[in-house]
Amino acid sequence: TEELMNDYSGSLSEITLIPSSGGVFEVKVDEELIFSKKQLDRFPNEGEISTLIAEKQLLKNADGTCAPC
C-alpha cells in the first residue's frame, strides 16, 4: 500500500484492504480485477501492481472515459 500511495497519491481516492483466508490476494481497480494470486498462483513482482494500475489508467484515458485519472 505504501508503494501505491507514493505512486498514485494524487489519483487514488481509496485503498481498501480486506482480510481473507485461503491464500487469496486480489487487486481491483474500479471493481475490475487486475491481479489475482489465486489465478496466477504467485504473488505480484515488485512494482507489478503499480504498472497494472498505470496501464488501466492509460486505457481509460485512451477511450476518453477518464481524464485525468
Side-chain angles (χ1 to χ4, degrees):
T1 59
E2 184 177 333
E3 177 184 336
L4 296 177
M5 291 306 296
N6 289 336
D7 291 349
Y8 297 100
S9 63
S11 61
L12 285 178
S13 61
E14 177 181 18
I15 294 177
T16 305
L17 297 176
I18 303 170
S20 183
S21 63
V24 175
F25 178 80
E26 294 182 333
V27 178
K28 295 180 181 180
V29 174
D30 298 330
E31 300 300 319
E32 181 181 337
L33 185 65
I34 63 166
F35 184 89
S36 172
K37 176 186 170 273
K38 188 174 182 178
Q39 289 177 358
L40 298 173
D41 196 33
R42 65 174 179 83
F43 280 103
N45 296 317
E46 186 174 334
E48 184 173 4
I49 300 300
S50 290
T51 299
L52 292 169
I53 291 170
E55 289 171 355
K56 178 144 177 63
Q57 287 180 331
L58 286 173
L59 289 173
K60 285 177 122 178
N61 286 333
D63 70 12
T65 60
C66 182
C69 281

